[in-house]
């Protein structure tokens, strides 16, 4: 009886250890699914895009399995803090304000902001004076919204839940301009819906205190081991060519930006 009990206890302990190991082998990744070409939901509910491919490459490098959770942008940091997932890979700019709530990996890309307008727009530039009296659409709770609100104080800044909504209103003549990441804008302009519009220019300078050093991977405060693993994995895929392979699938230039 005692031998049977010992065997049962040993088996239970082995199963418990296996369960913990399996839990550690999965990294739950939160992403928006509404920011093509970085992350997007297909018609059949699949998450695709640069962020998704990068996350999978990092998981492969760390010898863990990625699982993905689609999360509205406005609630993505609270969802991380609540334990809905372990990391955010969603083109989130590293900023001082966000670093008060989450920890970040090093950047995994850095592309500039730009302004898009209808092709028949009479606007000539992207300065505060150029856009005075105009209505600019921007996705809320983003660095672009912060920049537009602080810079274009003589304009009406209209917030949207995500980029597709602002793009639709620009195409339908309800906005004078939109501000967003230049890659996201170019993706829109290359689509049938974006044939209406053009990039007017890039705001300059693009202050680091607002836009940050680039997009990083957010994790819960204090997850220093995970940050180290992510940083090592980012360096590895940059060095072994996997990053370039993913980059070239989506872009004609290196979106990583200048080396830090």
């Amino acid at each position: 009886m005692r031998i049977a009990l010992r065997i049962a206890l040993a088996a239970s302990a082995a199963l418990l250890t296996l369960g913990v190991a399996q839990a550690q082998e999965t990294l739950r990744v939160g992403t928006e699914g509404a920011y093509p070409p970085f992350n997007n939901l297909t018609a059949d509910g699949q998450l695709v895009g640069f962020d998704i491919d990068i996350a999978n490459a990092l998981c492969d490098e760390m010898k863990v399995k990625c699982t993905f959770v689609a999360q509205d942008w406005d609630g993505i940091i609270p969802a991380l803090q609540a334990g809905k997932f372990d990391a955010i890979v969603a083109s989130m700019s590293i900023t001082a304000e966000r670093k008060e709530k989450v920890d970040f990996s090093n950047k995994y890309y850095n592309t500039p902001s730009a302004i898009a307008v209808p092709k028949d727009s009479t606007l000539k530039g992207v300065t505060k004076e150029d856009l005075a009296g105009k209505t600019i659409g921007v996705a809320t709770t983003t660095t672009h919204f912060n920049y537009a609100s602080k810079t274009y104080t003589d304009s009406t800044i209209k917030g949207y839940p995500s980029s597709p909504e602002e793009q639709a209103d620009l195409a339908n003549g309800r906005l004078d301009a939109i501000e967003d990441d230049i890659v996201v804008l170019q993706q829109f302009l290359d689509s049938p819906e974006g044939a209406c519009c053009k990039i007017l220019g890039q705001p300059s300078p693009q202050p680091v205190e607002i836009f940050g050093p680039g997009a990083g991977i957010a994790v819960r405060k204090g997850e220093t081991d995970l940050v180290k693993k992510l940083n090592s994995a980012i360096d590895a895929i940059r060095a072994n060519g996997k990053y370039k392979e993913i980059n070239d699938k989506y872009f004609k230039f290196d979106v990583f930006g200048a080396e830090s």
Side-chain angles (χ1 to χ4, degrees), residues 71-94:
Q71 172 68 50
D72 289 345
W73 181 257
D74 287 355
I76 204 164
I77 287 180
L80 172 70
Q81 294 170 324
K84 187 174 179 180
F85 33 79
D86 307 306
I88 297 171
V89 186
S91 295
M92 180 172 282
S93 297
I94 303 165

Side-chain angles (χ1 to χ4, degrees), residues 215-238:
I217 299 166
V219 302
R220 284 181 289 277
K221 295 291 287 184
E223 296 280 354
T224 53
D225 286 346
L226 181 53
V227 169
K228 289 176 183 177
K229 290 176 182 178
L230 288 165
N231 287 340
S232 295
I234 292 169
D235 291 342
I237 66 171
R238 286 286 293 172

Side-chain angles (χ1 to χ4, degrees), residues 113-117 123 125-126 131 136 147 152 176-180 185 198-203:
S113 170
I115 298 284
V117 297
L123 290 169
V126 296
L131 292 168
I136 306 170
Y147 178 79
Y152 300 114
D176 298 301
I178 58 175
E179 182 184 350
D180 213 327
L185 290 177
K198 65 181 181 181
I199 289 178
L200 182 62
Q202 296 178 32

Side-chain angles (χ1 to χ4, degrees), residues 34-259:
Y35 198 59
F38 294 103
N39 58 78
N40 195 38
L41 271 171
T42 62
D44 60 353
Q46 297 298 308
L47 282 163
V48 298
F50 178 79
D51 287 331
I52 311 306
D53 290 358
I54 288 291
N56 278 318
L58 296 177
C59 284
D60 288 346
E61 195 65 38
M62 296 188 294
K63 304 295 189 289
V64 298
K65 178 184 177 182
C66 270
T67 60
F68 293 93
V69 179
Q71 172 68 50
D72 289 345
W73 181 257
D74 287 355
I76 204 164
I77 287 180
L80 172 70
Q81 294 170 324
K84 187 174 179 180
F85 33 79
D86 307 306
I88 297 171
V89 186
S91 295
M92 180 172 282
S93 297
I94 303 165
T95 66
E97 181 182 1
R98 288 176 180 147
K99 286 170 77 172
E100 294 176 0
K101 302 174 182 177
V102 298
D103 287 343
F104 278 101
S105 71
N106 296 335
K107 74 167 185 177
Y108 64 97
Y109 82 84
N110 188 18
T111 50
S113 170
I115 298 284
V117 297
K119 284 181 176 176
D120 60 0
S121 173
T122 58
L123 290 169
K124 302 299 183 186
V126 296
T127 67
K128 174 183 176 179
E129 292 73 24
D130 290 324
L131 292 168
K134 304 300 182 183
T135 301
I136 306 170
V138 194
T140 56
T141 66
T142 65
T143 53
H144 303 289
F145 188 85
N146 293 342
Y147 178 79
S149 299
K150 292 178 180 179
T151 303
Y152 300 114
T153 53
D154 294 332
S155 305
T156 299
I157 307 302
K158 186 174 181 181
Y160 290 84
S162 63
S163 298
E165 288 90 345
E166 73 190 37
Q167 294 166 1
D169 270 8
L170 182 68
N172 291 324
R174 289 190 282 267
L175 293 170
D176 298 301
I178 58 175
E179 182 184 350
D180 213 327
D181 184 285
I182 192 169
V183 174
V184 173
L185 290 177
Q186 191 60 58
Q187 176 95 352
F188 164 59
L189 299 179
D190 289 342
S191 71
E193 294 78 14
C196 58
C197 305
K198 65 181 181 181
I199 289 178
L200 182 62
Q202 296 178 32
S204 181
Q206 304 215 349
V208 174
E209 63 270 19
I210 294 180
F211 288 108
I217 299 166
V219 302
R220 284 181 289 277
K221 295 291 287 184
E223 296 280 354
T224 53
D225 286 346
L226 181 53
V227 169
K228 289 176 183 177
K229 290 176 182 178
L230 288 165
N231 287 340
S232 295
I234 292 169
D235 291 342
I237 66 171
R238 286 286 293 172
N240 66 21
K242 186 62 179 180
Y243 186 98
K244 185 178 188 305
E245 177 187 324
I246 296 169
N247 182 99
D248 293 352
K249 176 180 174 182
Y250 296 95
F251 312 115
K252 296 179 181 178
F253 58 96
D254 186 358
V255 295
F256 190 80
E259 294 290 343

